[in-house]
Amino acid sequence: MFGMIPFARNDDNFFDLFDNFERKFFGNSAAALPDFRTDIRDAGDRYILEAELPGFRKEDIQLDVKDGILTISAQHGENKDEEDDKGSYIRRERRYGSFTRSFDVSGIDEERITAAYNNGVLELNLPKAVPVVPEAKRIAIE
């Protein structure tokens, strides 16, 4: 039960001894890949969503809208190889990351959403849907 508490806890719990050892030895892997940051502004007739995705190329990012949910996905892979004159590796590092965030876009005109990606920032323009006002209709009596 104590392992499900989302707050920091003491390392004095006997049952967490191995978890704490692993966490201290290998480091917290979740800290290496945080969720990407987003800002949402109300610009009157539309919302502007800005998502920080530094290091990604435009081709690495995918936007999907389905059933009133906007999903932003980004995948990135990077290899760094350093070899000596004989072709032996001196250093070889690989890094892969995958991020996904979803947003409720009910009340947004999904057909008019536009996106641009510049300098590591994805900007989406989310036009507000024009509310449909039901028309009053007079019924003739026969």
Side-chain angles (χ1 to χ4, degrees):
M1 177 175 145
F2 292 109
M4 295 183 68
I5 298 174
F7 305 105
R9 57 186 194 264
N10 290 340
D11 292 342
D12 298 336
N13 187 342
F14 175 75
F15 298 107
D16 291 333
L17 181 64
F18 294 108
D19 284 341
N20 292 330
F21 171 76
E22 181 182 7
R23 205 174 289 120
K24 288 177 183 175
F25 185 77
F26 293 109
N28 187 358
S29 62
L33 296 172
D35 288 336
F36 56 86
R37 309 273 191 255
T38 59
D39 296 325
I40 302 173
R41 292 181 286 140
D42 188 345
D45 63 339
R46 62 193 164 103
Y47 292 103
I48 299 172
L49 185 147
E50 293 176 337
E52 296 178 2
L53 294 165
F56 287 91
R57 295 174 303 159
K58 184 171 75 169
E59 297 81 24
D60 297 336
I61 302 168
Q62 185 173 350
L63 304 172
D64 296 304
V65 178
K66 183 179 180 184
D67 298 328
I69 302 293
L70 168 69
T71 302
I72 302 172
S73 303
Q75 291 186 331
H76 180 65
E78 181 179 348
N79 290 326
K80 289 185 180 180
D81 295 336
E82 292 183 16
E83 299 178 358
D84 61 9
D85 295 338
K86 299 175 185 174
S88 300
Y89 289 112
I90 295 175
R91 180 177 76 153
R92 186 173 191 190
E93 296 183 3
R94 292 162 297 285
R95 184 175 65 157
Y96 298 94
S98 172
F99 303 103
T100 301
R101 294 216 34 204
S102 296
F103 301 90
D104 179 13
V105 290
S106 56
I108 299 296
D109 185 354
E110 295 178 6
E111 299 298 321
R112 295 185 17 223
I113 295 175
T114 58
Y117 183 67
N118 294 308
N119 297 324
V121 177
L122 175 67
E123 182 177 305
L124 287 118
N125 284 300
L126 308 165
K128 294 179 182 177
V130 178
V132 178
V133 179
E135 294 182 22
K137 182 177 178 183
R138 185 162 292 192
I139 300 172
I141 302 173
E142 295 181 24

